[in-house]
Amino acid sequence: MTEKHIVLEDIDPVVFYGVGNAHLQMLKALYPKLRIVARDNVVRVLGDEAQLAAFEESVERMRQHVLKFNALKEEDILDITRGKRLNDDVPDDVVCYTTNGRPIKARSANQQHLIDAYHDNDMVFAVGPAGTGKTYLSIALAVKALKEKTAKKIILSRPAVEAGEKLGFLPGDMKDKIDPYLQPLYDALEDMLPQVKLQDMMEKHVIQIAPLAFMRGRTLSDAVVILDEAQNTTPAQIRMFLTRMGWNTKMIITGDTSQIDLPRSQKSGLIEALHILTGIEGIGVVNLTQKDIVRHKLVTRIVNAYEDFDRERQAD
């Protein structure tokens, strides 16, 4: 009798084991001569060496499937254990999959331009109104790079600028005050990575989320770095951020020039950077519009109404 411990790396054990351990019970039925015990992300197996080898191969194929699609069905388990070849090719238009198995891909021409610009350049500016998916798609590209090991870490940053509210009035210490500004980044990550895995990556600093001020003095290498809400940076801040770029790093800078929360006397660093850097080799600029809005249809109408209002006010 041989004993083997199989570690389910990089995946959510809950997806692998199934609801109520249904997948695990299925594996026990398919391999009746093996004693299978699972705890956390470790599967302990006891039995004949030949059967153990077949079981280990099946588990690895299942793990790879979960890693790609964040999902595992009973028919997948049956096909794998019977030696059938699964169609494990991720479609070309899919960036990655959410934790419930939904494909994330471009939903408009300009969103596809953003994906293409990311692959063709080391630095990309994605500029457009709220709801165009610029932040969500950027984080999806970063998660894909992490899964494919083309990047060793993800670094997400935002300027902590109040939209009509004051940091000082928020309860808690500095982290508690800053976290609400970073919550949209957490939300996107939680949609793409299992909670346990995300927590582990953050504890190991594989994924780092920090206010822009914390970027000073760093050199960011082997990473996908995203600066969100860049319209609220000052020229000095965005210049500092852009020059943090190290080897084997991709940078995505997102922003909406119609939602600047800086004081009226302060110039937006994003607007200045676009003026200075457009046309430089290795830097891509993607302009998203109201046609790219993928939120509730009312968001498009609201954006259009406010743009009409702004144009009328400027004309007056």
Side-chain angles (χ1 to χ4, degrees), residues 211-271:
L212 179 59
F214 290 18
M215 294 294 108
R216 185 173 295 279
R218 300 184 63 184
T219 299
L220 309 174
S221 301
D222 297 310
V224 178
V225 187
I226 298 173
L227 174 60
D228 195 33
E229 300 289 350
Q231 75 276 4
N232 288 328
T233 60
T234 64
Q237 283 175 331
I238 200 166
R239 184 174 182 174
M240 175 274 293
F241 176 82
L242 297 178
T243 54
R244 300 305 94 202
M245 191 172 196
W247 294 107
N248 192 36
T249 290
K250 295 249 186 185
M251 276 191 171
I252 307 176
I253 300 92
T254 72
D256 176 5
T257 53
S258 68
Q259 291 189 345
I260 298 173
D261 299 316
L262 294 167
R264 287 184 178 274
S265 59
Q266 182 68 65
K267 187 176 182 181
S268 167
L270 175 62
I271 293 176

Short mmCIF file of all heavy atoms in Angstrom, two decimals, residues 211-271:
data_model
loop_
_atom_site.label_atom_id
_atom_site.label_comp_id
_atom_site.label_asym_id
_atom_site.label_seq_id
_atom_site.Cartn_x
_atom_site.Cartn_y
_atom_site.Cartn_z
N PRO A 211 -2.69 53.12 -1.88
CA PRO A 211 -2.88 54.48 -2.39
C PRO A 211 -1.65 54.93 -3.18
O PRO A 211 -0.54 54.43 -2.95
CB PRO A 211 -3.04 55.32 -1.12
CG PRO A 211 -3.40 54.35 -0.05
CD PRO A 211 -2.74 53.06 -0.41
N LEU A 212 -1.83 55.86 -4.06
CA LEU A 212 -0.76 56.32 -4.94
C LEU A 212 0.44 56.85 -4.15
O LEU A 212 1.59 56.64 -4.56
CB LEU A 212 -1.31 57.42 -5.86
CG LEU A 212 -0.33 58.05 -6.85
CD1 LEU A 212 0.25 56.99 -7.77
CD2 LEU A 212 -1.03 59.13 -7.66
N ALA A 213 0.19 57.49 -3.03
CA ALA A 213 1.28 58.08 -2.25
C ALA A 213 2.29 57.03 -1.79
O ALA A 213 3.46 57.34 -1.54
CB ALA A 213 0.70 58.80 -1.02
N PHE A 214 1.86 55.76 -1.69
CA PHE A 214 2.74 54.70 -1.21
C PHE A 214 3.67 54.18 -2.31
O PHE A 214 4.49 53.31 -2.06
CB PHE A 214 1.91 53.53 -0.67
CG PHE A 214 1.18 53.83 0.61
CD1 PHE A 214 0.97 55.12 1.03
CD2 PHE A 214 0.70 52.80 1.39
CE1 PHE A 214 0.29 55.40 2.21
CE2 PHE A 214 0.02 53.05 2.58
CZ PHE A 214 -0.18 54.37 2.99
N MET A 215 3.54 54.70 -3.53
CA MET A 215 4.36 54.23 -4.65
C MET A 215 5.72 54.92 -4.72
O MET A 215 6.63 54.43 -5.38
CB MET A 215 3.63 54.50 -5.98
CG MET A 215 2.36 53.70 -6.19
SD MET A 215 2.63 51.92 -6.34
CE MET A 215 1.97 51.37 -4.76
N ARG A 216 5.87 56.05 -4.03
CA ARG A 216 7.12 56.83 -4.14
C ARG A 216 8.32 56.00 -3.69
O ARG A 216 8.28 55.30 -2.68
CB ARG A 216 7.00 58.10 -3.30
CG ARG A 216 8.21 59.03 -3.46
CD ARG A 216 7.98 60.35 -2.76
NE ARG A 216 6.89 61.10 -3.38
CZ ARG A 216 7.00 61.83 -4.46
NH1 ARG A 216 8.16 61.90 -5.10
NH2 ARG A 216 5.96 62.50 -4.94
N GLY A 217 9.39 56.06 -4.48
CA GLY A 217 10.63 55.40 -4.12
C GLY A 217 10.72 53.95 -4.56
O GLY A 217 11.78 53.33 -4.41
N ARG A 218 9.63 53.39 -5.12
CA ARG A 218 9.65 51.98 -5.51
C ARG A 218 10.02 51.82 -6.99
O ARG A 218 9.78 52.72 -7.80
CB ARG A 218 8.28 51.34 -5.28
CG ARG A 218 7.80 51.37 -3.85
CD ARG A 218 6.47 50.64 -3.70
NE ARG A 218 6.59 49.22 -4.02
CZ ARG A 218 5.56 48.38 -4.03
NH1 ARG A 218 4.34 48.82 -3.75
NH2 ARG A 218 5.75 47.11 -4.31
N THR A 219 10.60 50.66 -7.32
CA THR A 219 10.78 50.26 -8.72
C THR A 219 9.94 49.01 -8.92
O THR A 219 10.14 48.01 -8.22
CB THR A 219 12.25 49.97 -9.04
OG1 THR A 219 13.01 51.17 -8.82
CG2 THR A 219 12.40 49.54 -10.49
N LEU A 220 8.99 49.06 -9.83
CA LEU A 220 8.01 47.99 -9.98
C LEU A 220 8.40 47.11 -11.17
O LEU A 220 8.22 47.50 -12.33
CB LEU A 220 6.62 48.59 -10.18
CG LEU A 220 6.22 49.65 -9.13
CD1 LEU A 220 4.89 50.29 -9.48
CD2 LEU A 220 6.17 49.04 -7.74
N SER A 221 8.94 45.93 -10.88
CA SER A 221 9.40 45.01 -11.92
C SER A 221 8.58 43.72 -11.89
O SER A 221 7.99 43.37 -10.86
CB SER A 221 10.88 44.68 -11.71
OG SER A 221 11.67 45.85 -11.75
N ASP A 222 8.57 43.00 -13.04
CA ASP A 222 7.88 41.71 -13.17
C ASP A 222 6.44 41.81 -12.68
O ASP A 222 5.97 40.95 -11.93
CB ASP A 222 8.62 40.62 -12.37
CG ASP A 222 10.03 40.39 -12.91
OD1 ASP A 222 10.16 40.20 -14.13
OD2 ASP A 222 10.97 40.41 -12.11
N ALA A 223 5.73 42.83 -13.10
CA ALA A 223 4.39 43.07 -12.58
C ALA A 223 3.47 43.68 -13.63
O ALA A 223 3.93 44.22 -14.64
CB ALA A 223 4.47 44.00 -11.37
N VAL A 224 2.17 43.54 -13.37
CA VAL A 224 1.18 44.36 -14.07
C VAL A 224 0.73 45.41 -13.07
O VAL A 224 0.24 45.08 -11.98
CB VAL A 224 -0.02 43.53 -14.55
CG1 VAL A 224 -1.04 44.44 -15.24
CG2 VAL A 224 0.43 42.44 -15.51
N VAL A 225 0.92 46.66 -13.41
CA VAL A 225 0.64 47.77 -12.50
C VAL A 225 -0.51 48.60 -13.07
O VAL A 225 -0.46 49.02 -14.24
CB VAL A 225 1.89 48.67 -12.31
CG1 VAL A 225 1.63 49.71 -11.23
CG2 VAL A 225 3.10 47.82 -11.96
N ILE A 226 -1.54 48.80 -12.26
CA ILE A 226 -2.72 49.55 -12.72
C ILE A 226 -2.92 50.77 -11.83
O ILE A 226 -2.97 50.65 -10.60
CB ILE A 226 -3.98 48.66 -12.69
CG1 ILE A 226 -3.80 47.48 -13.63
CG2 ILE A 226 -5.22 49.47 -13.07
CD1 ILE A 226 -4.92 46.45 -13.54
N LEU A 227 -3.00 51.92 -12.45
CA LEU A 227 -3.37 53.15 -11.75
C LEU A 227 -4.79 53.50 -12.15
O LEU A 227 -5.04 53.81 -13.32
CB LEU A 227 -2.41 54.29 -12.10
CG LEU A 227 -2.77 55.67 -11.52
CD1 LEU A 227 -2.81 55.64 -10.01
CD2 LEU A 227 -1.80 56.74 -12.02
N ASP A 228 -5.71 53.45 -11.22
CA ASP A 228 -7.11 53.72 -11.48
C ASP A 228 -7.45 55.15 -11.05
O ASP A 228 -6.78 55.73 -10.20
CB ASP A 228 -7.97 52.71 -10.69
CG ASP A 228 -9.41 52.69 -11.16
OD1 ASP A 228 -9.65 52.90 -12.37
OD2 ASP A 228 -10.31 52.45 -10.33
N GLU A 229 -8.48 55.71 -11.67
CA GLU A 229 -8.93 57.08 -11.36
C GLU A 229 -7.79 58.08 -11.51
O GLU A 229 -7.62 58.99 -10.68
CB GLU A 229 -9.51 57.14 -9.94
CG GLU A 229 -10.71 56.25 -9.70
CD GLU A 229 -11.98 56.73 -10.40
OE1 GLU A 229 -11.98 57.86 -10.94
OE2 GLU A 229 -12.97 55.98 -10.42
N ALA A 230 -7.02 57.93 -12.57
CA ALA A 230 -5.83 58.77 -12.76
C ALA A 230 -6.17 60.23 -13.01
O ALA A 230 -5.28 61.09 -12.90
CB ALA A 230 -5.00 58.23 -13.92
N GLN A 231 -7.42 60.53 -13.34
CA GLN A 231 -7.79 61.94 -13.55
C GLN A 231 -7.64 62.75 -12.26
O GLN A 231 -7.57 63.97 -12.29
CB GLN A 231 -9.24 62.05 -14.07
CG GLN A 231 -10.34 61.82 -13.04
CD GLN A 231 -10.66 60.36 -12.85
OE1 GLN A 231 -10.01 59.50 -13.43
NE2 GLN A 231 -11.66 60.06 -12.05
N ASN A 232 -7.57 62.06 -11.11
CA ASN A 232 -7.46 62.75 -9.82
C ASN A 232 -6.01 62.82 -9.32
O ASN A 232 -5.77 63.10 -8.15
CB ASN A 232 -8.33 62.06 -8.77
CG ASN A 232 -9.80 62.31 -9.03
OD1 ASN A 232 -10.19 63.36 -9.54
ND2 ASN A 232 -10.64 61.35 -8.68
N THR A 233 -5.06 62.55 -10.21
CA THR A 233 -3.65 62.73 -9.86
C THR A 233 -3.21 64.13 -10.25
O THR A 233 -3.73 64.72 -11.20
CB THR A 233 -2.75 61.72 -10.59
OG1 THR A 233 -2.89 61.91 -12.01
CG2 THR A 233 -3.11 60.29 -10.23
N THR A 234 -2.24 64.65 -9.55
CA THR A 234 -1.62 65.91 -9.96
C THR A 234 -0.53 65.57 -10.98
O THR A 234 -0.10 64.42 -11.08
CB THR A 234 -0.97 66.62 -8.75
OG1 THR A 234 0.10 65.80 -8.26
CG2 THR A 234 -1.98 66.85 -7.63
N PRO A 235 -0.05 66.55 -11.75
CA PRO A 235 1.04 66.28 -12.69
C PRO A 235 2.26 65.66 -12.02
O PRO A 235 2.88 64.75 -12.58
CB PRO A 235 1.35 67.66 -13.27
CG PRO A 235 0.03 68.38 -13.22
CD PRO A 235 -0.60 67.92 -11.93
N ALA A 236 2.59 66.11 -10.82
CA ALA A 236 3.76 65.56 -10.12
C ALA A 236 3.51 64.10 -9.71
O ALA A 236 4.42 63.26 -9.80
CB ALA A 236 4.07 66.41 -8.88
N GLN A 237 2.30 63.80 -9.27
CA GLN A 237 1.98 62.43 -8.83
C GLN A 237 2.05 61.43 -9.98
O GLN A 237 2.63 60.36 -9.85
CB GLN A 237 0.58 62.40 -8.20
CG GLN A 237 0.51 62.97 -6.80
CD GLN A 237 -0.92 63.03 -6.29
OE1 GLN A 237 -1.87 63.17 -7.07
NE2 GLN A 237 -1.08 62.94 -4.99
N ILE A 238 1.44 61.77 -11.11
CA ILE A 238 1.42 60.81 -12.22
C ILE A 238 2.82 60.67 -12.82
O ILE A 238 3.20 59.56 -13.25
CB ILE A 238 0.38 61.20 -13.30
CG1 ILE A 238 0.05 59.98 -14.15
CG2 ILE A 238 0.86 62.36 -14.17
CD1 ILE A 238 -1.20 60.15 -15.00
N ARG A 239 3.59 61.74 -12.81
CA ARG A 239 4.98 61.65 -13.29
C ARG A 239 5.78 60.70 -12.39
O ARG A 239 6.56 59.87 -12.88
CB ARG A 239 5.61 63.04 -13.30
CG ARG A 239 7.02 63.07 -13.88
CD ARG A 239 7.50 64.51 -13.98
NE ARG A 239 8.83 64.58 -14.57
CZ ARG A 239 9.43 65.73 -14.88
NH1 ARG A 239 8.81 66.88 -14.68
NH2 ARG A 239 10.64 65.73 -15.40
N MET A 240 5.58 60.83 -11.08
CA MET A 240 6.24 59.94 -10.12
C MET A 240 5.82 58.50 -10.38
O MET A 240 6.66 57.59 -10.42
CB MET A 240 5.87 60.34 -8.69
CG MET A 240 6.40 59.42 -7.60
SD MET A 240 5.32 57.99 -7.23
CE MET A 240 3.89 58.79 -6.53
N PHE A 241 4.53 58.27 -10.60
CA PHE A 241 4.02 56.91 -10.80
C PHE A 241 4.58 56.29 -12.07
O PHE A 241 5.05 55.15 -12.06
CB PHE A 241 2.50 56.93 -10.85
CG PHE A 241 1.89 55.58 -11.15
CD1 PHE A 241 1.71 54.65 -10.16
CD2 PHE A 241 1.52 55.24 -12.45
CE1 PHE A 241 1.17 53.40 -10.43
CE2 PHE A 241 0.99 54.00 -12.74
CZ PHE A 241 0.81 53.08 -11.73
N LEU A 242 4.53 57.02 -13.18
CA LEU A 242 4.96 56.47 -14.47
C LEU A 242 6.44 56.10 -14.47
O LEU A 242 6.85 55.18 -15.16
CB LEU A 242 4.66 57.46 -15.59
CG LEU A 242 3.18 57.79 -15.82
CD1 LEU A 242 3.03 58.83 -16.93
CD2 LEU A 242 2.38 56.54 -16.16
N THR A 243 7.23 56.81 -13.68
CA THR A 243 8.67 56.54 -13.65
C THR A 243 9.03 55.44 -12.64
O THR A 243 10.22 55.18 -12.42
CB THR A 243 9.46 57.82 -13.31
OG1 THR A 243 8.94 58.40 -12.09
CG2 THR A 243 9.33 58.83 -14.43
N ARG A 244 8.00 54.78 -12.06
CA ARG A 244 8.25 53.61 -11.20
C ARG A 244 8.45 52.36 -12.03
O ARG A 244 8.81 51.30 -11.51
CB ARG A 244 7.07 53.35 -10.25
CG ARG A 244 6.67 54.43 -9.26
CD ARG A 244 7.80 54.88 -8.39
NE ARG A 244 8.45 56.06 -8.97
CZ ARG A 244 9.69 56.45 -8.70
NH1 ARG A 244 10.44 55.73 -7.89
NH2 ARG A 244 10.20 57.52 -9.25
N MET A 245 8.24 52.43 -13.32
CA MET A 245 8.22 51.26 -14.19
C MET A 245 9.58 50.57 -14.23
O MET A 245 10.61 51.19 -14.46
CB MET A 245 7.80 51.67 -15.59
CG MET A 245 7.48 50.51 -16.52
SD MET A 245 6.78 51.16 -18.05
CE MET A 245 6.07 49.68 -18.74
N GLY A 246 9.56 49.21 -14.00
CA GLY A 246 10.79 48.44 -14.04
C GLY A 246 10.77 47.45 -15.19
O GLY A 246 9.93 47.51 -16.09
N TRP A 247 11.71 46.47 -15.15
CA TRP A 247 11.81 45.48 -16.21
C TRP A 247 10.61 44.53 -16.18
O TRP A 247 10.10 44.19 -15.14
CB TRP A 247 13.10 44.68 -16.05
CG TRP A 247 14.34 45.50 -16.27
CD1 TRP A 247 15.22 45.93 -15.31
CD2 TRP A 247 14.82 46.00 -17.52
NE1 TRP A 247 16.22 46.68 -15.89
CE2 TRP A 247 16.01 46.73 -17.25
CE3 TRP A 247 14.38 45.92 -18.84
CZ2 TRP A 247 16.75 47.36 -18.24
CZ3 TRP A 247 15.12 46.54 -19.83
CH2 TRP A 247 16.28 47.25 -19.53
N ASN A 248 10.23 44.07 -17.38
CA ASN A 248 9.14 43.10 -17.54
C ASN A 248 7.87 43.55 -16.82
O ASN A 248 7.21 42.78 -16.14
CB ASN A 248 9.56 41.71 -17.01
CG ASN A 248 8.57 40.63 -17.42
OD1 ASN A 248 8.00 40.65 -18.51
ND2 ASN A 248 8.32 39.69 -16.52
N THR A 249 7.55 44.82 -16.99
CA THR A 249 6.36 45.39 -16.34
C THR A 249 5.43 45.99 -17.39
O THR A 249 5.87 46.58 -18.37
CB THR A 249 6.78 46.47 -15.33
OG1 THR A 249 7.41 45.83 -14.21
CG2 THR A 249 5.58 47.25 -14.80
N LYS A 250 4.15 45.80 -17.15
CA LYS A 250 3.11 46.45 -17.96
C LYS A 250 2.36 47.41 -17.06
O LYS A 250 2.04 47.09 -15.91
CB LYS A 250 2.14 45.42 -18.52
CG LYS A 250 2.77 44.44 -19.52
CD LYS A 250 2.25 44.68 -20.92
CE LYS A 250 2.75 43.64 -21.91
NZ LYS A 250 2.34 43.96 -23.28
N MET A 251 2.06 48.58 -17.59
CA MET A 251 1.29 49.58 -16.83
C MET A 251 0.01 49.92 -17.57
O MET A 251 0.03 50.11 -18.80
CB MET A 251 2.11 50.85 -16.62
CG MET A 251 3.05 50.81 -15.45
SD MET A 251 3.72 52.47 -15.09
CE MET A 251 4.55 52.14 -13.54
N ILE A 252 -1.09 49.98 -16.83
CA ILE A 252 -2.36 50.45 -17.39
C ILE A 252 -2.84 51.61 -16.53
O ILE A 252 -2.95 51.47 -15.31
CB ILE A 252 -3.43 49.33 -17.41
CG1 ILE A 252 -2.90 48.07 -18.11
CG2 ILE A 252 -4.69 49.83 -18.11
CD1 ILE A 252 -3.87 46.90 -18.09
N ILE A 253 -3.10 52.72 -17.17
CA ILE A 253 -3.57 53.92 -16.47
C ILE A 253 -4.99 54.21 -16.93
O ILE A 253 -5.22 54.42 -18.13
CB ILE A 253 -2.65 55.13 -16.74
CG1 ILE A 253 -1.23 54.83 -16.26
CG2 ILE A 253 -3.19 56.38 -16.06
CD1 ILE A 253 -0.32 54.25 -17.32
N THR A 254 -5.94 54.17 -16.02
CA THR A 254 -7.34 54.40 -16.39
C THR A 254 -7.83 55.70 -15.77
O THR A 254 -7.38 56.11 -14.70
CB THR A 254 -8.25 53.24 -15.92
OG1 THR A 254 -8.39 53.30 -14.49
CG2 THR A 254 -7.67 51.89 -16.31
N GLY A 255 -8.77 56.32 -16.43
CA GLY A 255 -9.33 57.56 -15.88
C GLY A 255 -10.49 58.09 -16.71
O GLY A 255 -10.74 57.65 -17.83
N ASP A 256 -11.20 59.03 -16.12
CA ASP A 256 -12.36 59.67 -16.75
C ASP A 256 -12.20 61.17 -16.58
O ASP A 256 -12.35 61.70 -15.48
CB ASP A 256 -13.65 59.17 -16.07
CG ASP A 256 -14.90 59.86 -16.60
OD1 ASP A 256 -14.79 60.65 -17.56
OD2 ASP A 256 -15.99 59.60 -16.06
N THR A 257 -11.85 61.84 -17.66
CA THR A 257 -11.55 63.27 -17.57
C THR A 257 -12.78 64.13 -17.29
O THR A 257 -12.66 65.32 -17.06
CB THR A 257 -10.89 63.76 -18.88
OG1 THR A 257 -11.72 63.39 -20.00
CG2 THR A 257 -9.52 63.12 -19.06
N SER A 258 -13.97 63.50 -17.29
CA SER A 258 -15.18 64.27 -16.97
C SER A 258 -15.53 64.18 -15.48
O SER A 258 -16.50 64.78 -15.03
CB SER A 258 -16.37 63.76 -17.80
OG SER A 258 -16.74 62.45 -17.40
N GLN A 259 -14.74 63.42 -14.71
CA GLN A 259 -15.01 63.26 -13.28
C GLN A 259 -13.77 63.58 -12.46
O GLN A 259 -13.24 62.74 -11.75
CB GLN A 259 -15.49 61.84 -12.97
CG GLN A 259 -16.88 61.52 -13.51
CD GLN A 259 -17.40 60.19 -13.00
OE1 GLN A 259 -16.67 59.38 -12.47
NE2 GLN A 259 -18.69 59.97 -13.16
N ILE A 260 -13.31 64.81 -12.58
CA ILE A 260 -12.12 65.25 -11.84
C ILE A 260 -12.55 65.83 -10.50
O ILE A 260 -13.36 66.77 -10.45
CB ILE A 260 -11.32 66.28 -12.66
CG1 ILE A 260 -10.83 65.64 -13.96
CG2 ILE A 260 -10.15 66.82 -11.85
CD1 ILE A 260 -10.17 66.62 -14.93
N ASP A 261 -12.02 65.26 -9.40
CA ASP A 261 -12.39 65.70 -8.05
C ASP A 261 -11.33 66.59 -7.42
O ASP A 261 -11.42 66.90 -6.23
CB ASP A 261 -12.62 64.47 -7.16
CG ASP A 261 -13.76 63.60 -7.67
OD1 ASP A 261 -14.80 64.16 -8.06
OD2 ASP A 261 -13.60 62.36 -7.71
N LEU A 262 -10.33 66.99 -8.20
CA LEU A 262 -9.30 67.89 -7.69
C LEU A 262 -9.86 69.29 -7.50
O LEU A 262 -10.87 69.65 -8.13
CB LEU A 262 -8.12 67.94 -8.67
CG LEU A 262 -7.32 66.64 -8.86
CD1 LEU A 262 -6.41 66.78 -10.08
CD2 LEU A 262 -6.51 66.33 -7.61
N PRO A 263 -9.23 70.12 -6.67
CA PRO A 263 -9.65 71.52 -6.57
C PRO A 263 -9.58 72.20 -7.94
O PRO A 263 -8.75 71.84 -8.78
CB PRO A 263 -8.61 72.13 -5.61
CG PRO A 263 -8.08 70.97 -4.83
CD PRO A 263 -8.12 69.79 -5.75
N ARG A 264 -10.43 73.15 -8.18
CA ARG A 264 -10.51 73.81 -9.50
C ARG A 264 -9.18 74.41 -9.94
O ARG A 264 -8.88 74.47 -11.13
CB ARG A 264 -11.58 74.91 -9.47
CG ARG A 264 -13.00 74.36 -9.44
CD ARG A 264 -14.02 75.49 -9.51
NE ARG A 264 -15.37 74.98 -9.54
CZ ARG A 264 -16.03 74.61 -10.62
NH1 ARG A 264 -15.41 74.69 -11.79
NH2 ARG A 264 -17.27 74.17 -10.56
N SER A 265 -8.38 74.81 -8.98
CA SER A 265 -7.10 75.44 -9.32
C SER A 265 -6.02 74.42 -9.68
O SER A 265 -4.95 74.79 -10.18
CB SER A 265 -6.61 76.28 -8.13
OG SER A 265 -6.45 75.46 -6.98
N GLN A 266 -6.30 73.14 -9.45
CA GLN A 266 -5.31 72.09 -9.67
C GLN A 266 -5.52 71.40 -11.01
O GLN A 266 -6.62 70.94 -11.32
CB GLN A 266 -5.40 71.05 -8.54
CG GLN A 266 -4.38 69.93 -8.64
CD GLN A 266 -2.97 70.42 -8.41
OE1 GLN A 266 -2.63 70.87 -7.32
NE2 GLN A 266 -2.13 70.36 -9.44
N LYS A 267 -4.48 71.30 -11.81
CA LYS A 267 -4.55 70.65 -13.11
C LYS A 267 -4.47 69.13 -12.95
O LYS A 267 -3.74 68.62 -12.11
CB LYS A 267 -3.40 71.13 -14.00
CG LYS A 267 -3.48 70.63 -15.44
CD LYS A 267 -2.37 71.23 -16.28
CE LYS A 267 -2.48 70.77 -17.74
NZ LYS A 267 -1.39 71.33 -18.57
N SER A 268 -5.25 68.42 -13.77
CA SER A 268 -5.23 66.96 -13.73
C SER A 268 -3.96 66.42 -14.37
O SER A 268 -3.61 66.77 -15.49
CB SER A 268 -6.45 66.40 -14.46
OG SER A 268 -6.30 65.01 -14.69
N GLY A 269 -3.29 65.51 -13.65
CA GLY A 269 -2.07 64.90 -14.19
C GLY A 269 -2.35 64.02 -15.39
O GLY A 269 -1.50 63.89 -16.28
N LEU A 270 -3.54 63.40 -15.42
CA LEU A 270 -3.88 62.53 -16.55
C LEU A 270 -3.97 63.34 -17.84
O LEU A 270 -3.44 62.92 -18.89
CB LEU A 270 -5.21 61.82 -16.29
CG LEU A 270 -5.74 60.97 -17.44
CD1 LEU A 270 -4.78 59.84 -17.79
CD2 LEU A 270 -7.13 60.39 -17.11
N ILE A 271 -4.63 64.48 -17.79
CA ILE A 271 -4.78 65.31 -18.99
C ILE A 271 -3.42 65.77 -19.49
O ILE A 271 -3.12 65.74 -20.69
CB ILE A 271 -5.70 66.52 -18.69
CG1 ILE A 271 -7.14 66.03 -18.43
CG2 ILE A 271 -5.67 67.52 -19.85
CD1 ILE A 271 -8.10 67.12 -18.03
#
